[in-house]
Amino acid sequence: MTQLLDRPPAAPRVVLHDPTLRDGHHAVRHQLDAAQLRAYARAADQAGVPVVEVGHGNGLGASSLQLGQARLSDDEMLTAVREELRTSRMGVFMAPGWGTSEDLRNAVKRGADVVRIAAHCSQADVAERHLGVLGDLGVEAQAVLLMSHMVSPEQLAEQSALLAAYGARAVGIMDSAGHYLPADVTLRITAVVDAVGEVPVIFHGHNNLGMAVANSVAAVEAGARIIDGCARGFGAGAGNTQLEVLAAVLERTGHPTGIDLPSLLNAADIAQAQLMPAPPTIDSISVVSGLAGVFSGFKLPVLQAAERAGVDPIEVFFELGRRQVIAGQEDQIQAVVRDLRKATPRAWGGDQR
């Protein structure tokens, strides 16, 4: 199939990192079972996907009443995926505060090859201790900055340089709210690449404004060399960058990925048939989430809280954006809903009692 693509001369290789079995969990309330994990991991491995990431949507140690209880424990998820991977490496994700150093040690013991530590875009220092632990364990440590639209390109560059100094072997940014346009990505990735030298740069996109693939290509053209994508875009809210589309576009633009595209398309078909009730769509709330700069994973809890209180979910998202609420502050959804209900008690449908 790839022989049919009109490709320019090869450019630097791009490593595609696949968090379908982690970020996708947001779309199904973290309820994937072992058979589903195994089926997709096996197909992704056969396609030659370099890294298959697995876990609760919010990462190691995050299964809880506040963030959502997963069907399986971290250990059960790691074991299921590890047993299906022959050539792909297994990745995990952890945000300090939800996961601990012990969670990292356990994940490495159970076969994690690539471990990402996440920090809020202005708080790289929270990753220092955990990156040190990973250095002692001898595993590939990466680090990403969440909600990266909240600070300037210069600040992202400074924070990324800190992550590299702490020992991250790849650093990057997440467009956690699907807020960016390609020009935004170009500015930020260029700044980060300039700041970290030879350390590979990561970009992780969300599709709230329909820009995820374009933003990912912009990141590659600006120097990013590790790009995230999920099968069929399976992920929070409007979904992530669609992996199989991204792979095809990168091939078309001359950036080899090493993935067998027909096998990847088969993996995407398996993901659609077995993992998700329906592929993600960009609905009205997703657009508002992107415009407001609010974490895509807030979509379902916002809709539920707004309907119960009879307030407009669009107003909830814009107020969350004004308050710069981030993942882990889900309690602020209820606070915003209460404030809006007091101000405009009959502003929207739902239960008006």
Side-chain angles (χ1 to χ4, degrees), residues 121 143-145 148 151-164 170-174 180 184-203 219 222-225:
C121 56
V144 289
L145 298 170
S148 60
V151 298
S152 69
E154 293 76 19
Q155 289 172 292
L156 290 176
E158 292 170 0
Q159 295 293 305
S160 297
L162 286 175
L163 293 173
V171 301
I173 62 175
M174 288 191 163
Y180 287 147
D184 302 318
V185 176
T186 298
L187 284 173
R188 286 158 176 78
I189 293 294
T190 298
V192 172
V193 168
D194 289 345
V196 300
E198 297 299 315
V199 177
V201 172
I202 302 162
F203 179 73
R225 292 293 172 259

Side-chain angles (χ1 to χ4, degrees), residues 19 30 41 49 63 121 123 132 145 147 161 178-181 195 211 225 243 280 283 287 306-307 318 334 343 350:
H30 318 286
V49 173
S63 182
C121 56
Q123 299 172 359
L145 298 170
M147 300 295 285
H179 184 70
Y180 287 147
L181 301 179
M211 291 285 118
R225 292 293 172 259
L243 180 64
D283 60 18
V287 173
E307 182 176 6
F318 279 120
Q334 294 296 337

Side-chain angles (χ1 to χ4, degrees), residues 52-234:
V52 176
E53 186 177 283
V54 61
H56 183 281
N58 294 89
L60 296 172
S63 182
S64 62
L65 289 175
Q66 180 187 15
L67 300 175
Q69 290 185 310
R71 172 174 291 190
L72 303 178
S73 68
D74 286 347
D75 286 357
E76 290 171 319
M77 288 188 270
L78 292 168
T79 298
V81 170
R82 178 72 272 170
E83 291 178 352
E84 298 299 332
L85 301 183
R86 301 295 180 267
T87 59
S88 301
R89 295 186 294 165
M90 184 168 73
V92 294
F93 174 98
M94 194 197 84
W98 296 335
T100 66
S101 294
E102 187 55 37
D103 291 316
L104 295 179
R105 294 186 183 94
N106 183 62
V108 173
K109 179 180 178 181
R110 292 184 177 275
D113 303 295
V114 179
V115 181
R116 281 190 179 171
I117 304 298
H120 183 61
C121 56
S122 61
Q123 299 172 359
D125 58 322
V126 304
E128 181 176 9
R129 181 165 64 89
H130 297 296
L131 288 170
V133 169
L134 294 174
D136 292 341
L137 292 171
V139 70
E140 180 174 337
Q142 300 182 354
V144 289
L145 298 170
L146 307 177
M147 300 295 285
S148 60
H149 68 281
M150 287 186 167
V151 298
S152 69
E154 293 76 19
Q155 289 172 292
L156 290 176
E158 292 170 0
Q159 295 293 305
S160 297
L162 286 175
L163 293 173
Y166 298 152
R169 292 165 58 184
V171 301
I173 62 175
M174 288 191 163
D175 182 17
S176 310
H179 184 70
Y180 287 147
L181 301 179
D184 302 318
V185 176
T186 298
L187 284 173
R188 286 158 176 78
I189 293 294
T190 298
V192 172
V193 168
D194 289 345
V196 300
E198 297 299 315
V199 177
V201 172
I202 302 162
F203 179 73
H204 173 107
H206 280 258
N207 204 40
N208 297 63
L209 301 179
M211 291 285 118
V213 170
N215 285 341
S216 297
V217 173
V220 170
E221 296 297 338
R225 292 293 172 259
I226 302 173
I227 306 294
D228 290 4
C230 294
R232 289 291 190 273
F234 190 40

Side-chain angles (χ1 to χ4, degrees), residues 156-339:
L156 290 176
E158 292 170 0
Q159 295 293 305
S160 297
L162 286 175
L163 293 173
Y166 298 152
R169 292 165 58 184
V171 301
I173 62 175
M174 288 191 163
D175 182 17
S176 310
H179 184 70
Y180 287 147
L181 301 179
D184 302 318
V185 176
T186 298
L187 284 173
R188 286 158 176 78
I189 293 294
T190 298
V192 172
V193 168
D194 289 345
V196 300
E198 297 299 315
V199 177
V201 172
I202 302 162
F203 179 73
H204 173 107
H206 280 258
N207 204 40
N208 297 63
L209 301 179
M211 291 285 118
V213 170
N215 285 341
S216 297
V217 173
V220 170
E221 296 297 338
R225 292 293 172 259
I226 302 173
I227 306 294
D228 290 4
C230 294
R232 289 291 190 273
F234 190 40
N240 295 63
T241 305
Q242 192 166 339
L243 180 64
E244 64 278 12
V245 176
L246 176 62
V249 171
L250 289 175
E251 286 286 345
R252 179 72 184 275
T253 56
H255 292 278
T257 66
I259 294 176
D260 181 70
L261 186 56
S263 297
L264 184 62
L265 295 174
N266 178 65
D269 291 341
I270 288 171
Q272 180 171 341
Q274 299 190 32
L275 304 185
M276 59 193 82
T281 58
I282 306 173
D283 60 18
S284 299
I285 294 299
S286 298
V287 173
V288 170
S289 175
L291 288 174
V294 175
F295 172 50
S296 299
F298 278 14
K299 177 182 176 180
L300 292 179
V302 165
L303 287 175
Q304 291 172 343
E307 182 176 6
R308 285 195 298 268
V311 300
D312 187 343
I314 291 175
E315 288 302 317
V316 176
F317 268 105
F318 279 120
E319 182 58 27
L320 289 168
R322 282 189 286 270
R323 298 186 188 188
Q324 293 198 315
V325 174
I326 61 175
Q329 296 179 320
E330 281 79 359
D331 59 316
Q332 289 299 305
I333 296 172
Q334 294 296 337
V336 166
V337 165
R338 286 194 299 270
D339 290 347

